[in-house]
Amino acid sequence: MMRAHSMPFGVEIGPNGTRFSLWAPTAHDVSLVMEDVEQTMPAIGDGWRELISENAGAGCRYAFRINGGPLVPDPASRFQPDDVQGRSVVVDPRAYQWSDDAWSGRPWEDAVLYEIHVGTATTAGTYAGLLPKLDQLAGLGVTAIELMPIGDFPGRRNWGYDGVLPFAPDASYGTPEELKHLIERAHALQLMVFIDVVYNHFGPSGNHIRQYASSFFTEHYRTPWGDGINFDGADSRPVRDFFIHNALYWLEEFHADGLRLDAVHAIRDDSETHILAEIATRVRQELPSRTVHLVVENDANEAHWIARDALGRPSFHTAQWNDDFHHAWHTLLTGEKDGYYRDYADDPVARLGRTLADGFAYQGEPSAHRGGKARGEPSAHLPPSAFVAFLQNHDQTGNRAMGERLSHLVEPRKLALARAALLLSPQIPLLLMGEEWAASSPFLYFVDFADDESLSAAVRHGRRREFARFSAFADPLAAEIPDPTTDAAAARSILQWDERRLTPHADVLADTRRLLQLRRLEVWPLTRTAYLSAEWSVHAESALDVVWRFGGGTLRFLANFGEGSVLWRIHGNERILWMSPNVSRTGNAGMLLPWEGVMLRGSRP
């Protein structure tokens, strides 16, 4: 089977030749430079330039010259072997023969997400290097890998959120064909593949669009990372189409199963149909036979983006990354109160209870961290599957000064309780790569702006300035924060897969495997039935009791976060799915010591 996404941008090989298209509404002159030949690109209206060549086949290198200036790459390039400043390469997507035509996806309720940074997931740091690990992940109980952004970014190492050519898989990880092979192999193992995409900004280095399409950006607002994107002003239609086609491109041409849309709270759009709504609608319209999932990261906790229709199907997006789940657990586990953790430190047990039962801890209440500004919308009506839960992810680990994982900060007994709550709750769990065995390597922030020392210096100074606000990093310690612009930060973050066989990593891995097996056998059948309601309560100031009700029965989580012991009881027809080691029990009652918990399953009355 062949797969190709047709779009007005970039290059398309057709029966009459290869079409080169560029939207350049503010350029006076545009030419195509292909190998050693330069040709003027005629204007065809509405800012578009187009040229059809009979001599350009797959593998040809090309670039555009704007107003007689230096060459720039195609913003819709499918591959950049010489990085973001180099020439683009003509790719024929139909040349790849897919063998997974029987794959149509998996139900969202089956999702166990595993977040991966390709460059540090293995020593090779490539798609090919990651390929042999897929069997181990499938055997563990993971059902979906989520690749941090792979759109071409400057340099050889980056988290991916500084991408500037969003259609080109970064060459430092391998070729587009190698990425397709990785996805094909994942599908053979019944693994879904998600790709993290960034539609709120471009990176600070290597973005040339302003030279020929200044109206791609807006002066009405800026994001924390750069120029705002024009989704709602004059000339915004091609801008919107650029990102809509990018979403369809990954889902159609690369056969991905879903997308994670980064920081959508930073997207401003006052048009009648918000770009987030249009992306979701177009994806579902154009891929009706596919099971495709769209996940947003949204610090504003806007529940309407993950609403369900009368049949329980997502109206727009399938789920949201639930930062509240992480923040409440992190505050409980570590006692940290700096930054956004101050919003949870007042009553972390209650914050966690509301998050587990209702989805969001903040549903319109004022946030002290945000200067008293209201945050969030009501979410208790949504099913637990509308929320992606995690104890760690690239942000929450990598944006720490030292990139510490929770296993570096928290004693194993406490972390075991949190891990069970993550993997057995009906929210959709996400693991950060290496979390399943408490990896010893940190996950640090790193970039590569080697060609721009002033930008590298700004990143270094900004990093130190950011952490100067935290009590743990007073000025004398600021110099110890790892330099994110060096090779060392990325090298230190590489996973050491062999340590999985060693104590204590092997014990954590075995526990993760047991919990995921329980999830498959006990939680999945429950969450595949209709969701009814949930409730939570706190007893003795620190004992949490959460109950989720489904058409097929109930799930109940009990945990003691206090310093004394608390009584717990089995209700009705409940049976124990999991409990902390050595929990005291006599008949239908027992005692929970500090940082002990129980998960119970009840059948339908």
Side-chain angles (χ1 to χ4, degrees):
M1 170 176 281
M2 297 178 291
R3 295 191 174 101
H5 175 67
S6 180
M7 56 187 176
F9 304 91
V11 173
E12 186 167 88
I13 298 177
N16 299 318
T18 300
R19 184 211 70 201
F20 295 83
S21 297
L22 180 70
W23 186 61
T26 54
H28 301 299
D29 180 70
V30 178
S31 57
L32 172 70
V33 178
M34 186 173 57
E35 304 300 347
D36 296 324
V37 178
E38 184 165 348
Q39 297 174 271
T40 297
M41 293 188 71
I44 60 171
D46 296 324
W48 286 94
R49 305 277 180 148
E50 184 175 288
L51 187 150
I52 297 177
S53 170
E54 297 179 357
N55 303 316
C60 288
R61 302 204 175 201
Y62 70 99
F64 301 115
R65 193 183 305 280
I66 309 298
N67 300 331
L71 297 180
V72 299
D74 184 352
S77 168
R78 280 177 162 88
F79 191 45
Q80 291 289 124
D82 298 320
D83 208 12
V84 298
Q85 305 291 356
R87 296 194 183 197
S88 305
V89 172
V90 174
V91 172
D92 181 4
R94 294 177 178 82
Y96 189 88
Q97 296 294 318
W98 291 82
S99 62
D100 64 346
D101 51 303
W103 174 265
S104 60
R106 294 187 66 154
W108 176 241
E109 285 73 20
D110 287 5
V112 176
L113 295 159
Y114 189 85
E115 188 184 21
I116 295 173
H117 179 267
V118 177
T120 56
T122 65
T123 303
T126 61
Y127 306 123
L130 185 58
L131 197 66
K133 307 303 182 187
L134 297 182
D135 293 82
Q136 297 177 46
L137 295 177
L140 176 68
V142 166
T143 62
I145 60 171
E146 181 178 308
L147 304 181
M148 286 175 63
I150 54 177
D152 203 39
F153 50 76
R156 296 173 292 107
R157 57 187 185 276
N158 196 288
W159 277 13
Y161 300 95
D162 291 319
V164 292
L165 297 172
F167 291 84
D170 196 275
S172 62
Y173 299 155
T175 65
E177 291 74 25
E178 287 170 324
L179 173 58
K180 292 174 181 179
H181 186 46
L182 177 73
I183 295 172
E184 195 172 37
R185 176 58 183 161
H187 290 166
L189 294 168
Q190 301 299 299
L191 291 170
M192 294 183 283
V193 179
F194 287 71
I195 295 175
D196 196 337
V197 293
V198 183
Y199 296 159
N200 54 64
H201 77 291
F202 287 88
S205 176
N207 176 24
H208 302 281
I209 294 177
R210 190 176 285 281
Q211 295 182 37
Y212 49 85
S214 60
S215 52
F216 200 100
F217 303 96
T218 179
E219 302 297 329
H220 296 300
Y221 78 98
R222 284 181 60 83
T223 76
W225 313 283
D227 292 340
I229 295 173
N230 175 24
F231 286 114
D232 56 5
D235 278 347
S236 62
R237 184 66 260 170
V239 180
R240 295 170 72 92
D241 287 343
F242 185 84
F243 293 101
I244 291 167
H245 279 287
N246 185 258
L248 292 168
Y249 166 79
W250 291 119
L251 295 168
E252 186 176 3
E253 193 160 304
F254 284 83
H255 209 202
D257 300 280
L259 303 173
R260 181 241 186 212
L261 282 70
D262 176 66
V264 299
H265 54 269
I267 295 175
R268 288 269 299 275
D269 183 0
D270 293 328
S271 56
E272 184 175 344
T273 301
H274 196 286
I275 185 62
L276 292 179
E278 188 170 2
I279 288 172
T281 300
R282 287 284 297 276
V283 164
R284 301 191 192 288
Q285 285 177 344
E286 299 198 20
L287 301 172
S289 62
R290 295 268 306 280
T291 303
V292 172
H293 311 296
L294 302 175
V295 179
V296 292
E297 180 202 16
N298 188 353
D299 183 68
N301 281 3
E302 294 170 314
H304 64 273
W305 288 123
I306 49 175
R308 268 48 182 169
D309 64 16
L311 298 178
R313 300 170 304 191
S315 300
F316 297 110
H317 302 279
T318 314
Q320 174 178 319
W321 270 32
N322 194 359
D323 279 340
D324 285 354
F325 183 98
H326 169 271
H327 296 347
W329 267 113
H330 191 93
T331 305
L332 277 167
L333 290 166
T334 68
E336 293 180 8
K337 301 178 181 179
D338 282 326
Y340 40 66
Y341 296 129
R342 66 183 294 205
D343 279 349
Y344 304 82
D346 58 340
D347 194 348
V349 177
R351 299 287 187 194
L352 176 61
R354 194 183 198 200
T355 300
L356 288 169
D358 292 356
F360 294 144
Y362 279 84
Q363 302 179 33
E365 294 77 17
S367 159
H369 173 63
R370 295 162 180 80
K373 181 181 178 182
R375 175 175 177 243
E377 298 173 353
S379 60
H381 60 290
L382 295 171
S385 59
F387 305 92
V388 174
F390 42 84
L391 298 171
Q392 303 175 75
N393 64 32
H394 74 274
D395 266 331
Q396 308 305 337
T397 301
N399 280 330
R400 296 181 65 84
M402 299 300 180
E404 307 102 322
R405 295 172 179 267
L406 272 180
S407 52
H408 303 152
L409 303 170
V410 178
E411 61 181 280
R413 179 174 60 97
K414 291 184 177 182
L415 196 50
L417 175 61
R419 183 166 52 247
L422 170 70
L423 299 181
L424 295 180
S425 97
Q427 294 189 19
I428 301 299
L430 176 142
L431 294 166
L432 174 64
M433 62 177 196
E435 181 180 352
E436 72 273 27
W437 77 80
S440 63
S441 55
F443 186 70
L444 292 161
Y445 175 67
F446 46 83
V447 296
D448 179 11
F449 298 132
D451 295 335
D452 191 336
E453 176 51 34
S454 63
L455 184 54
S456 295
V459 170
R460 285 192 294 269
H461 297 152
R463 191 77 172 159
R464 290 171 181 168
R465 186 170 56 251
E466 175 184 356
F467 288 105
R469 298 176 297 162
F470 289 78
S471 57
F473 292 95
D475 288 342
L477 290 174
E480 297 181 14
I481 296 173
D483 184 345
T485 67
T486 65
D487 285 332
R492 287 179 56 194
S493 303
I494 296 172
L495 290 181
Q496 308 300 318
W497 288 76
D498 288 345
E499 70 183 7
R500 292 159 46 108
R501 305 186 184 94
L502 307 176
T503 303
H505 307 291
D507 296 333
V508 175
L509 183 63
D511 187 46
T512 303
R513 181 175 286 108
R514 284 192 296 269
L515 289 168
L516 288 177
Q517 184 179 29
L518 269 177
R519 182 176 188 86
R520 178 174 59 84
L521 295 175
E522 298 283 359
V523 180
W524 284 3
L526 197 60
T527 57
R528 288 169 179 165
T529 66
Y531 173 67
L532 303 177
S533 64
E535 63 185 36
W536 64 277
S537 58
V538 176
H539 305 284
E541 297 184 356
S542 58
L544 181 62
D545 189 345
V546 183
V547 180
W548 298 271
R549 294 184 177 85
F550 294 85
T554 62
L555 196 63
R556 183 176 172 216
F557 176 61
L558 301 164
N560 177 18
F561 299 105
E563 296 181 358
S565 59
V566 296
L567 178 68
W568 65 280
R569 295 182 183 278
I570 294 176
H571 295 160
N573 58 17
E574 291 177 336
R575 55 187 173 84
I576 296 174
L577 289 188
W578 168 91
M579 61 182 178
S580 299
N582 305 315
V583 167
S584 168
R585 178 193 173 195
T586 302
N588 287 338
M591 302 296 294
L592 288 179
L593 296 178
W595 289 94
E596 289 186 339
V598 180
M599 189 71 78
L600 304 163
R601 166 79 190 270
S603 60
R604 186 169 53 187

